[in-house]
PDB file of all heavy atoms in Angstrom:
ATOM      1  N   SER A 222      62.814  30.649 -44.471  1.00 98.00           N
ATOM      2  CA  SER A 222      62.463  32.068 -44.357  1.00 98.00           C
ATOM      3  C   SER A 222      63.714  32.953 -44.290  1.00 98.00           C
ATOM      4  O   SER A 222      63.604  34.170 -44.219  1.00 98.00           O
ATOM      5  CB  SER A 222      61.609  32.324 -43.132  1.00 98.00           C
ATOM      6  OG  SER A 222      62.363  32.104 -41.955  1.00 98.00           O
ATOM      7  N   ARG A 223      64.880  32.331 -44.314  1.00 98.00           N
ATOM      8  CA  ARG A 223      66.160  33.091 -44.399  1.00 98.00           C
ATOM      9  C   ARG A 223      66.857  32.880 -45.745  1.00 98.00           C
ATOM     10  O   ARG A 223      68.043  33.175 -45.901  1.00 98.00           O
ATOM     11  CB  ARG A 223      67.074  32.648 -43.272  1.00 98.00           C
ATOM     12  CG  ARG A 223      66.523  32.920 -41.878  1.00 98.00           C
ATOM     13  CD  ARG A 223      66.298  34.414 -41.661  1.00 98.00           C
ATOM     14  NE  ARG A 223      65.873  34.723 -40.294  1.00 98.00           N
ATOM     15  CZ  ARG A 223      66.603  35.360 -39.396  1.00 98.00           C
ATOM     16  NH1 ARG A 223      67.806  35.756 -39.680  1.00 98.00           N
ATOM     17  NH2 ARG A 223      66.123  35.622 -38.221  1.00 98.00           N
ATOM     18  N   VAL A 224      66.094  32.378 -46.707  1.00 98.00           N
ATOM     19  CA  VAL A 224      66.678  32.103 -48.038  1.00 98.00           C
ATOM     20  C   VAL A 224      65.884  32.841 -49.101  1.00 98.00           C
ATOM     21  O   VAL A 224      64.674  32.658 -49.216  1.00 98.00           O
ATOM     22  CB  VAL A 224      66.681  30.592 -48.354  1.00 98.00           C
ATOM     23  CG1 VAL A 224      67.212  30.310 -49.744  1.00 98.00           C
ATOM     24  CG2 VAL A 224      67.465  29.818 -47.290  1.00 98.00           C
ATOM     25  N   GLY A 225      66.551  33.697 -49.874  1.00 98.00           N
ATOM     26  CA  GLY A 225      65.917  34.386 -50.981  1.00 98.00           C
ATOM     27  C   GLY A 225      66.447  33.829 -52.303  1.00 98.00           C
ATOM     28  O   GLY A 225      67.482  33.152 -52.335  1.00 98.00           O
ATOM     29  N   VAL A 226      65.728  34.106 -53.385  1.00 99.00           N
ATOM     30  CA  VAL A 226      66.167  33.697 -54.734  1.00 99.00           C
ATOM     31  C   VAL A 226      66.077  34.889 -55.662  1.00 99.00           C
ATOM     32  O   VAL A 226      65.123  35.668 -55.583  1.00 99.00           O
ATOM     33  CB  VAL A 226      65.261  32.555 -55.267  1.00 99.00           C
ATOM     34  CG1 VAL A 226      65.540  32.308 -56.761  1.00 99.00           C
ATOM     35  CG2 VAL A 226      65.476  31.276 -54.491  1.00 99.00           C
ATOM     36  N   ARG A 227      67.083  35.038 -56.529  1.00 99.00           N
ATOM     37  CA  ARG A 227      67.037  36.112 -57.516  1.00 99.00           C
ATOM     38  C   ARG A 227      66.900  35.566 -58.941  1.00 99.00           C
ATOM     39  O   ARG A 227      67.674  34.680 -59.314  1.00 99.00           O
ATOM     40  CB  ARG A 227      68.270  36.979 -57.460  1.00 99.00           C
ATOM     41  CG  ARG A 227      68.136  38.257 -58.257  1.00 99.00           C
ATOM     42  CD  ARG A 227      69.340  39.155 -58.189  1.00 99.00           C
ATOM     43  NE  ARG A 227      69.000  40.547 -58.423  1.00 99.00           N
ATOM     44  CZ  ARG A 227      69.818  41.445 -58.945  1.00 99.00           C
ATOM     45  NH1 ARG A 227      71.057  41.145 -59.202  1.00 99.00           N
ATOM     46  NH2 ARG A 227      69.418  42.687 -59.145  1.00 99.00           N
ATOM     47  N   PHE A 228      65.926  36.106 -59.663  1.00 98.00           N
ATOM     48  CA  PHE A 228      65.704  35.756 -61.070  1.00 98.00           C
ATOM     49  C   PHE A 228      65.875  36.991 -61.957  1.00 98.00           C
ATOM     50  O   PHE A 228      65.634  38.100 -61.507  1.00 98.00           O
ATOM     51  CB  PHE A 228      64.254  35.279 -61.294  1.00 98.00           C
ATOM     52  CG  PHE A 228      63.950  33.851 -60.850  1.00 98.00           C
ATOM     53  CD1 PHE A 228      62.664  33.507 -60.483  1.00 98.00           C
ATOM     54  CD2 PHE A 228      64.926  32.867 -60.841  1.00 98.00           C
ATOM     55  CE1 PHE A 228      62.334  32.201 -60.111  1.00 98.00           C
ATOM     56  CE2 PHE A 228      64.608  31.563 -60.472  1.00 98.00           C
ATOM     57  CZ  PHE A 228      63.326  31.238 -60.095  1.00 98.00           C
ATOM     58  N   SER A 229      66.204  36.759 -63.228  1.00 98.00           N
ATOM     59  CA  SER A 229      66.243  37.851 -64.233  1.00 98.00           C
ATOM     60  C   SER A 229      65.726  37.269 -65.566  1.00 98.00           C
ATOM     61  O   SER A 229      66.512  36.949 -66.446  1.00 98.00           O
ATOM     62  CB  SER A 229      67.658  38.370 -64.411  1.00 98.00           C
ATOM     63  OG  SER A 229      68.504  37.336 -64.887  1.00 98.00           O
ATOM     64  N   PRO A 230      64.420  37.110 -65.703  1.00 98.00           N
ATOM     65  CA  PRO A 230      63.850  36.336 -66.814  1.00 98.00           C
ATOM     66  C   PRO A 230      64.330  36.757 -68.198  1.00 98.00           C
ATOM     67  O   PRO A 230      64.481  35.934 -69.091  1.00 98.00           O
ATOM     68  CB  PRO A 230      62.355  36.558 -66.683  1.00 98.00           C
ATOM     69  CG  PRO A 230      62.148  36.889 -65.242  1.00 98.00           C
ATOM     70  CD  PRO A 230      63.381  37.604 -64.794  1.00 98.00           C
ATOM     71  N   GLU A 231      64.544  38.069 -68.400  1.00 97.00           N
ATOM     72  CA  GLU A 231      64.829  38.509 -69.783  1.00 97.00           C
ATOM     73  C   GLU A 231      66.127  39.301 -69.857  1.00 97.00           C
ATOM     74  O   GLU A 231      66.337  40.012 -70.828  1.00 97.00           O
ATOM     75  CB  GLU A 231      63.666  39.298 -70.363  1.00 97.00           C
ATOM     76  CG  GLU A 231      63.349  40.525 -69.546  1.00 97.00           C
ATOM     77  CD  GLU A 231      62.145  41.291 -70.104  1.00 97.00           C
ATOM     78  OE1 GLU A 231      61.843  41.169 -71.288  1.00 97.00           O
ATOM     79  OE2 GLU A 231      61.512  42.000 -69.286  1.00 97.00           O
ATOM     80  N   ASN A 232      66.982  39.180 -68.865  1.00 98.00           N
ATOM     81  CA  ASN A 232      68.242  39.896 -68.938  1.00 98.00           C
ATOM     82  C   ASN A 232      69.159  39.216 -69.962  1.00 98.00           C
ATOM     83  O   ASN A 232      69.511  38.046 -69.820  1.00 98.00           O
ATOM     84  CB  ASN A 232      68.910  39.918 -67.562  1.00 98.00           C
ATOM     85  CG  ASN A 232      70.071  40.854 -67.489  1.00 98.00           C
ATOM     86  OD1 ASN A 232      70.373  41.567 -68.460  1.00 98.00           O
ATOM     87  ND2 ASN A 232      70.776  40.885 -66.377  1.00 98.00           N
ATOM     88  N   SER A 233      69.552  39.984 -70.987  1.00 98.00           N
ATOM     89  CA  SER A 233      70.396  39.344 -72.042  1.00 98.00           C
ATOM     90  C   SER A 233      71.877  39.494 -71.700  1.00 98.00           C
ATOM     91  O   SER A 233      72.725  38.988 -72.473  1.00 98.00           O
ATOM     92  CB  SER A 233      70.106  39.997 -73.396  1.00 98.00           C
ATOM     93  OG  SER A 233      70.427  41.366 -73.358  1.00 98.00           O
TER      94      SER A 233
END
Side-chain angles (χ1 to χ4, degrees):
S222 68
R223 297 299 185 111
V224 177
V226 169
R227 191 178 205 208
F228 282 153
S229 61
E231 60 183 334
N232 191 3
S233 63

